[in-house]
Amino acid sequence: MASSATTDAGGEDQHLTIPNIKVQQLPHLLHTLPSLRSHPNPLDANPFFRPSSEFYITPNDVVLRHILHGASDAPGPRLAYHRAGPRKAVYFEPGHVRAAIVTCGGLCPGMNTVIRELVVGLWDLYGARHIFGVEAGYRGFYSGEPVALNPKMVHDWHRKGGTVLETSRGGFDLARIVDAIQDRGFNQVYIIGGDGTMRGMVEIFNEIKCRKLNIAVAGIPKTVDNDVGIIDRSFGFQTAVEMAQQAISAAHTEAESAVNGVGLVKLMGRSTGHIALHATLSSRDVDCCLIPENDFYLEGRGGLLEFLGARLKENGHAVVVVAEGAGQDVIPRSDEAHVEEKDESGNPVFLDVGRWLKSELKKWWARDHGTELFTVKYIDPTYMVRAVPANATDNLYCTLVAHSAIHGAMAGYTGFVSGPINGNYGYIPVEDVARAKNRVDTRDHKWAWVRSLTNQPDFEKR
């Protein structure tokens, strides 16, 4: 499949050819269970839909991974993913569906909305009546009894932060999890979690495939840091940025109200600085934004202290936003064993860059400015940012991503993640998502916008 166009620019013909498109293969239950029978989609009889000929998604409906095309692009086919949405045929009879929903890892705005929409979507769209919540993350499959869910029970969950099903890190025991799924007769499993959870989902999917079980496994990526790759953004991210702005606004007020005041805000972002970047761009009150993707240093020409000294001299106050994963290479480590410390999800335990930076700022001022007044107000809104209910935009996102996952599982797809790709919802093999990262590209225009807004140095030593 190729496309070409001719335009006129400055009197010269410009020829644009889009190379062949390669559609990423999506796992299907038929690949291991070829004798499965299909059934008409129950939406055919749903009075709210009255499906037209264009209503159902076909195998030819795809979403391009990259929609921009330029002369510097690498040669070869352009990757595309199957578009999300209802299919004309399904591979589960509604009365036989036994669905399990589990939330894993840290909190994120919108988790309860996703659970609610999975329950309501399965119940109202497809007529499923056996829907269960697995409590306490992956370990809940084998350590407790699942909770029966229905629309009446979950009707107001979207107004609550956190996850009513509870969550935890760790507890991943592959054999016990898959044994429990099989023993309880679950044939659809919906897994909500971040990159570590998605890596666990890969193992669960492969084990189910190895056992040739008729079980569809669907993932919904959740990360408040927005560090999951391929998809446009994770649900809850916009809510997190909105809450982060409130913290920045408070820090700005504190700094502006003091003599030589510095407002210091530490935001979530272990491996990527998306929250810090977007909150900085949105607030317009930030003087310096520090993220994991861009190293910084304190002392010397072009360093943070020189920059803040000039900003305080000019404005009398300054606001610094730092992502929690920034500066890990410049913080002194007194205990080398701490470098190897991991949490239950296998993530490295980071040193507290916020408290360290506050201490260094106070030392710097006392050393170089003697008895002049100086104040640092440090705000860490981590649990405010991640524990609130989703805002309106994220609630809509949660509905669409949950219903997309349901449509895919009912159509027999498995081992996939649903999410927006360039504004259109698609199905992505979970192996791709588990490998992909979404780091801030400091060569991109967004980071240039940050620096043009803050006028902060590039922190490159010369």
Side-chain angles (χ1 to χ4, degrees):
M1 179 163 46
S3 167
S4 65
T6 303
T7 60
D8 186 77
E12 294 183 2
D13 288 335
Q14 300 285 324
H15 296 279
L16 171 64
T17 300
I18 299 177
N20 290 337
I21 294 172
K22 176 188 176 184
V23 181
Q24 193 77 334
Q25 186 179 20
L26 197 61
H28 197 281
L29 292 172
L30 286 174
H31 295 163
T32 52
L33 301 168
S35 62
L36 278 181
R37 291 179 53 200
S38 64
H39 311 277
N41 195 315
L43 293 177
D44 285 341
N46 191 309
F48 299 108
F49 285 91
R50 296 194 179 93
S52 64
S53 58
E54 296 84 17
F55 176 79
Y56 291 116
I57 304 299
T58 73
N60 293 326
D61 293 316
V62 299
V63 181
L64 288 177
R65 173 71 180 89
H66 298 288
I67 59 174
L68 299 179
H69 182 70
S72 61
D73 289 354
R78 296 171 68 80
L79 192 62
Y81 297 100
H82 287 282
R83 188 179 167 197
R87 269 55 177 175
K88 193 165 183 61
V90 299
Y91 286 82
F92 291 95
E93 294 185 65
H96 296 166
V97 169
R98 284 182 61 83
I101 302 167
V102 64
T103 54
C104 305
L107 298 185
C108 180
M111 293 176 77
N112 282 325
T113 306
V114 172
I115 300 167
R116 179 192 189 277
E117 296 308 315
L118 286 172
V119 173
V120 173
L122 284 164
W123 192 285
D124 289 345
L125 297 180
Y126 286 99
R129 294 294 182 265
H130 305 290
I131 308 165
F132 298 88
V134 176
E135 296 183 308
Y138 275 139
R139 58 171 44 87
F141 279 107
Y142 57 82
S143 65
E145 291 296 316
V147 180
L149 302 175
N150 59 65
K152 186 175 181 180
M153 178 187 297
V154 303
H155 80 281
D156 64 344
W157 284 16
H158 62 293
R159 299 190 179 97
K160 302 177 181 179
T163 167
V164 178
L165 291 181
E166 302 177 346
T167 186
S168 68
R169 298 186 184 276
F172 187 82
D173 187 321
L174 179 61
R176 295 176 75 185
I177 290 170
V178 178
D179 285 347
I181 291 171
Q182 189 173 1
D183 292 344
R184 297 186 187 281
F186 295 138
N187 52 19
Q188 291 185 10
V189 178
Y190 296 91
I191 299 174
I192 305 164
D195 52 354
T197 301
M198 293 298 109
R199 290 192 291 272
M201 178 181 159
V202 171
E203 296 188 42
I204 293 171
F205 160 65
N206 285 329
E207 179 64 20
I208 286 173
K209 184 170 63 173
C210 184
R211 298 188 190 188
K212 298 186 183 301
L213 302 176
N214 183 19
I215 301 172
V217 184
I220 298 175
K222 167 223 51 105
T223 162
V224 73
D225 297 350
N226 201 36
D227 59 357
V228 171
I230 303 177
I231 62 172
D232 295 346
R233 69 179 192 280
S234 172
F235 71 81
F237 175 68
Q238 291 193 339
T239 305
V241 171
E242 192 175 292
M243 294 301 298
Q245 284 185 78
Q246 295 182 25
I248 292 171
S249 178
H252 180 254
T253 299
E254 290 284 354
E256 202 174 32
S257 302
V259 177
N260 294 319
V262 173
L264 175 61
V265 181
K266 184 180 79 172
L267 297 176
M268 298 185 71
R270 297 174 57 83
S271 61
T272 185
H274 287 289
I275 293 179
L277 183 153
H278 283 82
T280 294
L281 287 174
S282 302
S283 73
R284 312 299 169 90
D285 291 328
V286 178
D287 293 280
C288 189
C289 177
L290 305 173
I291 60 174
E293 294 88 346
N294 195 55
D295 293 337
F296 72 92
Y297 58 96
L298 298 181
E299 304 281 356
R301 184 179 178 183
L304 178 62
L305 299 182
E306 179 189 68
F307 171 74
L308 287 179
R311 191 54 59 92
L312 287 170
K313 185 176 181 180
E314 179 183 359
N315 298 331
H317 66 275
V319 174
V320 178
V321 167
V322 58
E324 62 181 319
Q328 294 299 308
D329 58 334
V330 295
I331 304 175
R333 298 176 183 269
S334 57
D335 182 3
E336 288 301 321
H338 187 75
V339 179
E340 303 299 324
E341 188 179 346
K342 306 278 188 180
D343 65 18
E344 287 186 303
S345 296
N347 300 312
V349 175
F350 285 171
L351 299 173
D352 192 334
V353 65
R355 293 188 180 279
W356 170 78
L357 203 50
K358 177 183 178 181
S359 174
E360 291 300 309
L361 290 175
K362 286 186 170 183
K363 290 177 186 176
W364 159 64
W365 195 266
R367 181 192 71 201
D368 293 357
H369 298 275
T371 59
E372 291 183 57
L373 291 175
F374 180 68
T375 301
V376 181
K377 297 298 185 183
Y378 174 49
I379 299 176
D380 179 357
T382 296
Y383 297 105
M384 287 174 53
V385 165
R386 72 178 200 167
V388 298
N391 65 14
T393 301
D394 276 324
N395 265 332
L396 175 58
Y397 178 155
C398 292
T399 300
L400 295 173
V401 76
H403 286 193
S404 295
I406 294 169
H407 293 315
M410 290 297 297
Y413 293 118
T414 183
F416 72 92
V417 163
S418 62
I421 308 168
N422 297 314
N424 294 282
Y425 285 77
Y427 296 139
I428 311 160
V430 66
E431 290 96 336
D432 291 6
V433 174
R435 288 193 301 263
K437 295 293 182 184
N438 181 31
R439 292 175 61 80
V440 172
D441 183 356
T442 54
R443 300 167 299 175
D444 184 65
H445 58 272
K446 281 187 181 178
W447 184 244
W449 291 345
V450 168
R451 291 199 55 219
S452 68
L453 183 68
T454 63
N455 294 312
Q456 68 189 64
D458 57 17
F459 298 116
E460 291 185 8
K461 291 188 177 181
R462 295 176 176 83

